[in-house]
Amino acid sequence: MSAHDTPDITRHLERLAADGIDVVRVTYPDLIGTDRARDVLLDHLPSACAHGLAFCRAVYHTSPQGDVIPIAGGLEAGLPDVCVRPDLSTLAPLPWEPGVAVCLGEVSDPATGGPAAESPRDLLRAVLARCAEHGLRPVVGPELEYFLLEPAPGTPSGWRRAPETAGAVYTAGLRADPDNHLLRTLRQLRDAGIGVVTGNHEFDGGQYEINLVHSEALDAADRAFRFKSAIKELARKEGRLATFMAKPFGDAGGSGFHLHLSCEDTDGRNAFDDPSGAHGLSAIARHALAGILAHTPALAALANPTVNSYKRFGPDTLAPWLIDWGLDNRSAMVRVPPERGSGARLELRLGDASANPYLLIAGTIAAALLGVLAAEEPPAPLEGYGYDTARSAVLPTSLPAALDALEADTALAELLGKDFTTSFLSYKRNEVERFRRHVTDWEFTEYAYHL
C-alpha cells in the first residue's frame, strides 16, 4: 500500500480520526537500534507522506550520549538530511499514549532517491532479497530479556532491580513480580499489535523475558524494534527504567536476544525439515547452520555490539562462550530445538539484548545464506555440557576483536554492503576508543587509596 496514494491516505485519516487519534508518531531505528521519531499532527500527515520528514543524517552517527561521531556522510559532508516518509501500512495504536498511533518510517537519501546507506531496515531488506533469489523466505522468532529497575538514591548507579527476588526463574505471578509488571506489560504489548506470546520472570531479580511470534524476518525485526521501544516507554511511564544492556550488574547474569530461525521454500513449506536427513534436518538447514558457525566471529560484532556485551560471556553463564551447536542443548551457541516438521528451526543464542534487531537478524540470515551457497556440513554436535575449549573455538572476547573479525570477513561484509559495514565499524571503533580513555569506578576503587 502506497503512502502517496491520496484515497489511501484519506481512508487512514478517516479511520484514525474515528478512533480518536490526532497524532501519528513516525519512528525508525538508528545504528544501535534506538528509535528516532517525530510526532505529526493528523492534519499534517498527508504532507508528511507526500514530502517526507527531514532528519539530519548524522542521527545515525550519534552516540548514546549525544556526540556526533565523524563518519563519512555526516560532519564532513555538512550534516545533510535524510528523508523519512510514514509507512502507513505499519500503523498501530499506542495504548499507553491516548490519541497517538505509531508507524514506521521509510528512510531515503535525497541525493540518490534510494535507501539511506545506514538504514538498518533497508539492510535487512537487501539481505532478504538475496535469499529470495535462491527461493528462501526466512522466518524468525525473537526472544528478548531485560532488567526492570527502580530509583535507588545513594547507590552508585542510582537504580536497583525491581524486585530483587532471587531464584524465581521461569515463574509468573506475584511471588516474583509483586506489582504485576509482566502481566500489565503483556496486555499493553498485545493491544499495541506487537505480537507477544508469553512472558516470565527470568533468572535474576528484576529480569524478565518476553517471546514474540514467529513471522517473516522483516516483520519480526519490526516487532522486536517496537517491542524494545515499548518496554522502555512503559517503564518510564511508571518512573522506572527498563534496560536491554547486555550485563548491567556484576553480580547478576546478562540479558540475551535469542533468534529462532527457519526458512520457507517457494511452496511455503519449512525448508529446514527433512525426516530422512541427518538429525531430521534438511541439507539447507545443515548448510545454514554451518554458515552461521563459520561466520560467527564476524557476526558477534552485530550480535554483541557494545563494550559491555563481552562481560556477559564465560563458562557456566548459559550465555554462549564457544562456537558450537547441539541438539536441544542450551549450553551450545546454536541450539536445534527438538521440534521437526513445520517447527524445524535453529536457535541462535549468541545475541545479547543490546543488539539492533535489524542488524542481528540481517547478519544471522546473511551468514546462513553464505552457508547454503557454500554447501558445507557442520561439525558433529556438542554432546553433554559445553564450555570445553578443547572441543570448540572461543568466541571473540572483546568488541575490538569482533570488529576486526567483521572487517576481515569479506564475504559477510560484502553481503551486508560496503557502505554499511564501513559506517558501522567506524561508529563502533569510536565507542571503543572513548571507553579506552574513560576512568572507571573499578579503577579508582582498586588503585586510588593504595597507590
Side-chain angles (χ1 to χ4, degrees), residues 277-308:
H279 312 296
L281 299 174
S282 69
I284 287 176
R286 299 193 307 272
H287 298 334
L289 171 58
I292 291 171
L293 295 174
H295 296 280
T296 286
L299 182 58
L302 305 176
N304 314 111
T306 72
V307 170
N308 174 260

Side-chain angles (χ1 to χ4, degrees), residues 114-177:
E118 299 94 341
S119 169
R121 197 167 183 242
D122 287 293
L123 170 66
L124 177 54
R125 277 193 174 120
V127 172
L128 294 175
R130 292 291 300 275
C131 289
E133 293 172 4
H134 299 279
L136 296 174
R137 179 177 178 266
V139 174
V140 170
E143 295 180 1
L144 283 132
E145 297 169 342
Y146 62 94
F147 277 94
L148 181 67
L149 312 178
E150 59 189 9
T155 62
S157 68
W159 299 94
R160 65 168 171 249
R161 284 163 272 183
E164 294 187 327
T165 307
V169 63
Y170 290 151
T171 62
L174 300 178
R175 178 165 63 91
D177 183 17

Side-chain angles (χ1 to χ4, degrees), residues 14-87:
E14 291 172 349
R15 179 170 62 86
L16 291 168
D19 291 340
I21 302 296
D22 65 345
V23 170
V24 172
R25 180 165 297 161
V26 183
T27 182
Y28 64 97
D30 64 10
L31 271 183
I32 60 175
T34 296
D35 54 310
R36 305 290 177 171
R38 187 165 292 159
D39 285 343
V40 180
L41 288 167
L42 193 59
D43 290 346
H44 295 276
L45 186 61
S47 175
C49 291
H51 305 292
L53 304 168
F55 284 80
C56 179
R57 180 180 174 183
V59 73
Y60 283 118
H61 314 151
T62 302
S63 78
Q65 298 301 311
D67 300 315
V68 178
I69 311 304
I71 293 175
L75 284 170
E76 53 88 22
L79 300 171
D81 278 346
V82 291
C83 181
V84 180
R85 286 187 170 85
D87 179 357

